[in-house]
Amino acid sequence: MSEPDLTSTQPRPVYVIGAGPGGLAVAAALRARGVRAVVVERADSVGASWRGHYERLRLHTTRRLSALPGLAIPRRFGRWVARADVVRYLEKYAEFHELELVTGVEVTRIEPAADGAGWTLHASGGRVLAAGAVVVATGFNHTPALPDWPGLDGYTGRLLHACAYREPGPYAGQDVLVVGVGNTGAEIAVDLVEGGAARVRLAVRTPPHLVRRSTAGWPAQRTGILVRRLPVRVVDRLGALVARVSVPDLSAYGLPRPTAGLYTRVRQGAVPVQDVGLIDAVRRGRVEPVAAVASFDGDAVVLADGTRIGPDAVIAATGYRRGLEGLVGHLGVLDGRGRPLAHGPRTPAGAPGLYFTGYTNPISGMLRELARDAERIARALARRDRRERRERRDRQSPQSPHDRQSRQDSQRSQGRQGRRSRRAGSPA
């Protein structure tokens, strides 16, 4: 990977902020179309978030449907790619596409360029970068989020966010409370049980939709791809039918079926939980669903049903925020929840040349949609690049409309004369 000159402004490159899957995919798609893209990453290497995930993690989407543009994921990584292999793939991807990558530089603020052409990026170390366009790809799981539980500041027990969890060894023989039953919380709970934790409780605020990762070889992801364009009520009904057939009712164990439909919950931001052992662990009593956390009191955790418990450790799988407010919040391009108003190849109103990718969590698979978005963004920027190049040529050699028409008439006349000359000189 080459080291680009960050001070170069002619022509102004496309700056891609973030060297995760989304940012790398956009940069590769742009390079394939002849558009210069510079990837700026605050960490010291690509795929920083994937490096920090827990060891057990595997993609919940299939290898074939998770590859980024221009490079397949190796078959030897298996159908469900492990976290460490995702990191290896991202490293190889950046190398294979010879991407311009700058690490250890954090872009902190984006502003419109003073001349109205492009954007100005303020970065760590006092750097000021001039961009023709910007693609923001800092990631869906950017800033760990903890609820504002009453008594949290005075809690004397051990509490950590799921982003700090790596493997179950340190919790062997301990009583652990996992808060949150999304995919991360469910998988950490199973990991703890299999790693020797003495007791694992799972605090549930809203019962999730549980789905099998694969049924008779058919991955849940493909079903998500097929139904994502259908009406919400239709998918809700289909999801309920499939759940009754494939997922046992866990109400007796403290994990009832959700009241809201599967796709209704997806539209609210909650994707289904893919079963990687949770169903069996709950039925065997190895993972105990309990009420949601209501508050903390000294060394105790108080649950919504009034129960007080004293676990050795609390692991909060309570999600992430996008963390875009400081970067672009002043531009009016975010909604009330801090998410981009426009996504993929569309740009927000009043912010031409500013793109966002990776800020949704679709049931069709995050990496698949990142790859599709990358191609769409690259096409849009390639068209923009061609248009700007034509405009620069016109400015460098200004001509009146009459001059341009005369030149075109002359070129057509010369073409006709050339064709007549070739006919006259051809053998009879």
Side-chain angles (χ1 to χ4, degrees):
M1 291 172 286
S2 58
E3 285 292 334
D5 177 9
L6 291 180
T7 63
S8 174
T9 61
Q10 295 296 331
R12 297 174 182 177
V14 175
Y15 276 98
V16 180
I17 306 174
L24 297 179
V26 170
L30 285 169
R31 190 177 189 281
R33 289 168 172 79
V35 179
R36 184 183 176 214
V38 178
V39 182
V40 183
E41 167 59 47
R42 66 174 181 173
D44 294 328
S45 55
V46 303
S49 64
W50 279 95
R51 294 175 191 276
H53 286 314
Y54 49 95
E55 296 293 338
R56 176 194 177 98
L57 180 63
R58 289 181 176 270
L59 287 179
H60 291 163
T61 54
T62 66
R63 172 179 52 81
R64 287 189 176 183
L65 295 176
S66 302
L68 303 179
L71 185 67
I73 299 177
R75 290 175 58 90
R76 67 178 182 277
F77 288 173
R79 192 181 198 195
W80 311 104
V81 183
R83 179 203 62 84
D85 287 332
V86 173
V87 172
R88 294 186 185 97
Y89 171 68
L90 295 178
E91 291 173 339
K92 182 63 178 178
Y93 191 84
E95 178 186 353
F96 178 82
H97 287 291
E98 299 180 334
L99 301 182
E100 291 190 61
L101 178 65
V102 179
T103 59
V105 174
E106 181 179 8
V107 177
T108 56
R109 188 176 177 88
I110 301 173
E111 295 179 336
D115 62 3
W119 297 88
T120 298
L121 280 59
H122 298 273
S124 55
R127 297 175 179 88
V128 179
L129 314 176
V134 180
V135 181
V136 182
T138 51
F140 190 84
N141 295 338
H142 185 271
T143 305
L146 276 177
D148 188 20
W149 286 304
L152 180 60
D153 291 343
Y155 180 57
T156 58
R158 183 185 180 193
L159 182 144
L160 64 150
H161 190 274
C163 68
Y165 175 84
R166 293 293 176 270
E167 49 93 18
Y171 307 93
Q174 294 188 8
D175 180 349
V176 185
L177 172 67
V178 180
V179 184
V181 68
N183 278 292
T184 297
E187 193 158 359
I188 288 177
V190 174
D191 198 32
L192 288 165
V193 164
E194 295 178 353
R199 185 177 189 180
V200 178
R201 285 175 280 203
L202 184 60
V204 180
R205 180 169 58 91
T206 304
H209 284 274
L210 299 173
V211 298
R212 302 289 187 183
R213 186 168 67 176
S214 179
T215 302
W218 178 264
Q221 180 189 8
R222 287 201 177 273
T223 301
I225 293 170
L226 291 175
V227 305
R228 66 173 305 195
R229 301 296 184 190
L230 296 178
V232 172
R233 65 180 183 278
V234 172
V235 181
D236 283 349
R237 291 172 184 169
L238 289 174
L241 289 172
V242 172
R244 281 197 291 270
V245 172
S246 61
V247 177
D249 186 359
L250 301 175
S251 299
Y253 304 93
L255 197 60
R257 294 190 189 277
T259 54
L262 185 149
Y263 210 18
T264 296
R265 293 286 290 132
V266 169
R267 290 296 182 90
Q268 295 169 351
V271 296
V273 173
Q274 293 200 11
D275 178 45
V276 292
L278 180 66
I279 293 173
D280 183 64
V282 169
R283 295 178 76 179
R284 292 174 178 268
R286 302 179 71 191
V287 171
E288 307 169 44
V290 297
V293 171
S295 63
F296 291 82
D297 184 12
D299 62 352
V301 181
V302 183
L303 304 181
D305 61 3
T307 304
R308 295 172 65 92
I309 61 176
D312 297 310
V314 178
I315 300 174
T318 47
Y320 296 80
R321 293 184 291 105
R322 310 295 81 82
L324 294 170
E325 289 80 4
L327 187 66
V328 296
H330 56 287
L331 298 175
V333 297
L334 304 178
D335 65 14
R337 297 172 61 185
R339 301 172 304 182
L341 292 169
H343 196 267
R346 298 183 300 277
T347 59
L354 180 62
Y355 299 84
F356 296 87
T357 184
Y359 297 99
T360 62
N361 197 10
I363 59 175
S364 51
M366 173 71 82
L367 292 180
R368 176 181 183 270
E369 296 308 318
L370 287 176
R372 291 163 62 86
D373 268 355
E375 297 286 6
R376 295 171 181 143
I377 292 171
R379 283 197 295 269
L381 280 168
R383 287 194 297 268
R384 174 191 174 100
D385 184 65
R386 289 194 297 270
R387 183 174 64 251
E388 290 178 349
R389 288 183 182 183
R390 286 196 300 268
E391 291 173 353
R392 283 197 298 270
R393 285 198 301 267
D394 290 343
R395 287 195 298 268
Q396 291 168 0
S397 56
Q399 292 178 321
S400 68
H402 178 268
D403 291 337
R404 285 195 294 271
Q405 185 63 47
S406 297
R407 186 182 63 180
Q408 292 169 359
D409 290 344
S410 175
Q411 289 172 343
R412 283 194 291 269
S413 176
Q414 290 174 2
R416 286 194 295 269
Q417 292 174 358
R419 286 193 294 275
R420 284 196 295 270
S421 299
R422 286 193 294 273
R423 285 196 297 271
S426 61

